[in-house]
Amino acid sequence: MNVAAPSDSSPGSTPRRPAPFFVIGCVRSGTTMLRDLLRCHPHLACPEETHFYRWPEPFGSAAYSRIIQTNPVLRKHREIDGISEAEFADILAKSSTRRELCDRYMALYIARNKPGATRWFEKTPQNVYGAGMLGDWKEVRFVHIVRNPVEVAASLRLGKVMNKFEPLGAANYWREAIENITTLRRAYPKRMYEVRYEDLTANPLGELAKLCEFLEEPFDASWFKSMAIQEVSHAREAVLSPQEEALVRKLCQKGCKQYGYLPT
């Protein structure tokens, strides 16, 4: 069972807003589904994907500023979040680090969209490539959702949400994400909670109750009653050939063993 990090509060002190958390995992692993579930919690607020930690260019460089401001997907996300480009340019100019940018963006997002929220979280799967920087907040926590790599590869082959990936690229997408998350878990073993996509879709309320316990947040099943959750399987659609499935399993063998995805 995961153990939550202790609170910073001390007798007589003013309670502080709980530390944020990041939902992480390989793309097409259920991160969006989990985000949408957690958004139903009255204490929690999460914008669309920010990608603040995805890019390798250093914060403050012309390259980073250009990507983060001009990427059409991110501009669309800010539109959904109700944050104008002028507002984003202002908070970007006032920030000296990714953390400052993230803090300012989240404060504006909460004020604009969910002022009753007491805690923010973020969900960008590709932020896993900047995993080493995600521990910048004291007592930050991480929620990792993992899915069978064969299903991930099949979903990426279909390309319904993202650009299409062939099995080699899809397998390495999953493998590299798992390797980065494994390193993050070693650094923060008590701040990482992991759930399998298959377990969450099979028992969403049970898994959410355990996750809320880890986050030290209350749980009420009625908050999530509007969400209809069911497992989606692309592998059953024969998207990948047997040879392609074998390639994915071979490249992802170590992670498959770790998370119980070896064929029976």
Side-chain angles (χ1 to χ4, degrees), residues 85-105:
E85 291 306 307
E87 289 172 320
F88 181 70
D90 180 61
I91 63 175
L92 179 62
K94 290 177 179 176
S95 302
S96 300
T97 65
R98 297 176 202 243
R99 173 177 173 167
E100 289 182 8
L101 173 62
C102 200
D103 275 330
R104 286 190 169 100
Y105 191 92

Side-chain angles (χ1 to χ4, degrees), residues 44-55:
L44 306 179
C46 180
E48 295 298 305
E49 296 175 2
T50 67
H51 293 249
F52 291 159
Y53 286 84
R54 171 185 183 177
W55 313 108

Side-chain angles (χ1 to χ4, degrees), residues 178-195:
I178 294 300
E179 288 178 352
N180 284 327
I181 289 168
T182 298
T183 299
L184 189 65
R185 187 176 62 247
R186 288 171 182 161
Y188 304 103
K190 293 184 179 181
R191 299 184 194 172
M192 175 77 74
Y193 187 92
E194 298 187 290
V195 59

Side-chain angles (χ1 to χ4, degrees), residues 39-160:
R39 277 176 166 175
C40 296
H41 195 294
H43 292 183
L44 306 179
C46 180
E48 295 298 305
E49 296 175 2
T50 67
H51 293 249
F52 291 159
Y53 286 84
R54 171 185 183 177
W55 313 108
E57 289 77 11
F59 188 88
S61 67
Y64 182 90
S65 297
R66 182 174 61 254
I67 292 171
I68 210 75
Q69 288 184 286
T70 64
N71 183 284
V73 173
L74 301 189
R75 290 174 68 92
K76 181 62 177 178
H77 287 179
R78 291 192 284 271
E79 180 183 345
I80 295 171
D81 291 342
I83 295 176
S84 71
E85 291 306 307
E87 289 172 320
F88 181 70
D90 180 61
I91 63 175
L92 179 62
K94 290 177 179 176
S95 302
S96 300
T97 65
R98 297 176 202 243
R99 173 177 173 167
E100 289 182 8
L101 173 62
C102 200
D103 275 330
R104 286 190 169 100
Y105 191 92
M106 296 303 181
L108 181 57
Y109 175 81
I110 288 176
R112 188 70 46 80
N113 296 276
K114 197 173 181 179
T118 57
R119 188 179 197 176
W120 63 260
F121 70 100
E122 204 279 345
K123 190 284 288 190
T124 300
Q126 294 91 337
N127 275 350
V128 73
Y129 286 101
M133 295 182 284
L134 295 180
D136 202 17
W137 289 265
K138 188 175 183 180
E139 296 197 353
V140 65
R141 302 187 192 189
F142 309 97
V143 178
H144 174 214
I145 182 167
V146 61
R147 188 183 187 187
N148 189 319
V150 173
E151 291 286 355
V152 171
S155 181
L156 286 170
R157 163 65 70 78
L158 289 172
K160 291 182 178 179

Side-chain angles (χ1 to χ4, degrees), residues 231-261:
E231 181 180 358
V232 175
S233 175
H234 296 299
R236 297 169 192 158
E237 301 170 10
V239 175
L240 304 177
S241 70
Q243 294 78 13
E244 289 170 333
E245 287 192 11
L247 172 65
V248 172
R249 290 196 177 96
K250 178 180 179 180
L251 290 173
C252 301
Q253 183 176 17
K254 184 177 178 180
C256 283
K257 183 177 181 181
Q258 180 178 347
Y259 290 105
Y261 290 125

